[in-house]
Amino acid sequence: MVTSAQETDFIGSIEATAWKWMRFSGVALIPLVGIHLVLLEILVGVRRINLDYVAMRWTFIGWRVYDFLLLALAFSHGMNGLRQVLGNFVGGGKARQVVNRGLLAVWAVFILAGSIAIIGGVRYP
Amino acid sequence: MFRCLVGLRFRKGEGRITFNLHRLTGLGMLSYLMFHILESSTVFFMPWLYKRILSLYQSVPFFLGETLLLFCVAYHGVNGLRITIFDLVRPDLKGAASEKKAVRIALVAAFVLWLPAVVIIGRRFMMGFPEY
């Protein structure tokens, strides 16, 4: 995949950290997403979910921590993946920088919105 | 201009299909995840909207999307595990026959995980959403 000259640039770079991070977060996401899906798709059933269910679930702080981990790891893994895909399609330099900043902004907005909802909890209308 | 073609040709040979399928399933999940984060966040921001969004999940298009999403999760998870094993645990086996075999095992394993899941949620969908 990479020539030796590119390889020496790669080692110790921020891209190398991102590369490793994708593997670690990916492995962590397997049980996190697996349990999330078995619980909600099979044990509970997506059509039985409502505000009461979410409120009940979040009375236990452990589930809020679980949902936050899922949000942070899955969305960060996904956005970094999108950054890598776009990196192959968008030319380097300025355009790449604009794309990366845009992705960072989108990442921040979604993580913030999700975190506020997890901390704030269910508000009945 | 032709960068998009370069992107699709990024990996050559047999690995090309797996490489692009891994990306495609990842992007599929990411687009649902963005919807899912916003939809779930309405329990705090717009709780009156939450019930209405959830009723969407009872429609046929959403059910089909759900089965597609489950395939993305199964394939991306199994194939991601394969990538991680060959990158971090057994880099010595890279390019060996066992890696090529693992590519096929990942695809088969994804179907083995996906099919029972589709049967379970499909049966529930056919039952016509009884009031729980």
Side-chain angles (χ1 to χ4, degrees):
Chain A
M1 174 202 161
V2 277
T3 66
S4 56
Q6 282 173 310
E7 219 165 284
T8 38
D9 281 348
F10 183 71
I11 292 165
S13 70
I14 189 138
E15 283 304 322
T17 311
W19 183 90
K20 231 182 254 169
W21 191 86
M22 285 304 266
R23 272 116 190 109
F24 291 141
S25 61
V27 170
L29 278 165
I30 291 172
L32 279 173
V33 173
I35 291 167
H36 179 76
L37 284 180
V38 169
L39 177 70
L40 294 165
E41 287 274 357
I42 293 169
L43 297 179
V44 177
V46 280
R47 283 146 201 105
R48 206 151 47 161
I49 299 167
N50 54 27
L51 285 177
D52 292 334
Y53 171 76
V54 182
M56 181 203 70
R57 191 167 121 116
W58 281 352
T59 53
F60 177 52
I61 192 88
W63 277 118
R64 293 201 198 214
V65 174
Y66 189 96
D67 288 345
F68 175 75
L69 280 175
L70 205 51
L71 165 73
L73 284 175
F75 195 59
S76 307
H77 183 100
M79 287 303 274
N80 189 49
L82 179 60
R83 187 185 65 83
Q84 288 175 344
V85 173
L86 291 178
N88 284 148
F89 290 87
V90 180
K94 196 84 187 155
R96 179 84 61 94
Q97 201 182 46
V98 170
V99 166
N100 285 351
R101 288 204 179 144
L103 289 175
L104 188 66
V106 172
W107 174 82
V109 167
F110 278 74
I111 293 287
L112 196 67
S115 303
I116 290 170
I118 290 171
I119 294 165
V122 175
R123 287 196 305 175
Y124 286 95
Chain B
M1 185 81 189
F2 294 104
R3 285 285 302 189
C4 57
L5 297 173
V6 176
L8 286 175
R9 286 194 297 119
F10 196 58
R11 290 287 160 90
K12 287 199 175 83
E14 202 181 31
R16 189 167 127 187
I17 299 163
T18 335
F19 179 81
N20 284 312
L21 193 58
H22 195 73
R23 287 191 153 186
L24 199 68
T25 51
L27 292 175
M29 283 191 288
L30 181 63
S31 50
Y32 171 70
L33 181 60
M34 293 179 88
F35 170 75
H36 187 46
I37 291 170
L38 294 180
E39 162 251 295
S40 304
S41 299
T42 59
V43 301
F44 176 78
F45 293 104
M46 285 175 272
W48 51 271
L49 192 65
Y50 189 63
K51 202 180 167 185
R52 303 196 68 170
I53 300 173
L54 285 188
S55 65
L56 280 177
Y57 282 115
Q58 303 194 5
S59 65
V60 175
F62 264 73
F63 170 74
L64 295 176
E66 195 180 343
T67 59
L68 218 61
L69 177 74
L70 288 180
F71 179 77
C72 291
V73 173
Y75 183 75
H76 199 86
V78 174
N79 194 52
L81 195 61
R82 174 190 71 81
I83 292 169
T84 306
I85 288 169
F86 282 93
D87 276 348
L88 300 180
V89 187
R90 295 300 302 271
D92 53 307
L93 290 178
K94 267 202 167 181
S98 54
E99 199 195 10
K100 283 193 176 133
K101 207 170 140 193
V103 166
R104 294 209 182 106
I105 292 173
L107 195 60
V108 173
F111 273 100
V112 169
L113 286 170
W114 180 58
L115 288 174
V118 168
V119 170
I120 292 170
I121 65 164
R123 276 174 65 179
R124 221 175 257 168
F125 187 80
M126 296 299 181
M127 270 157 35
F129 317 112
E131 287 293 320
Y132 290 100

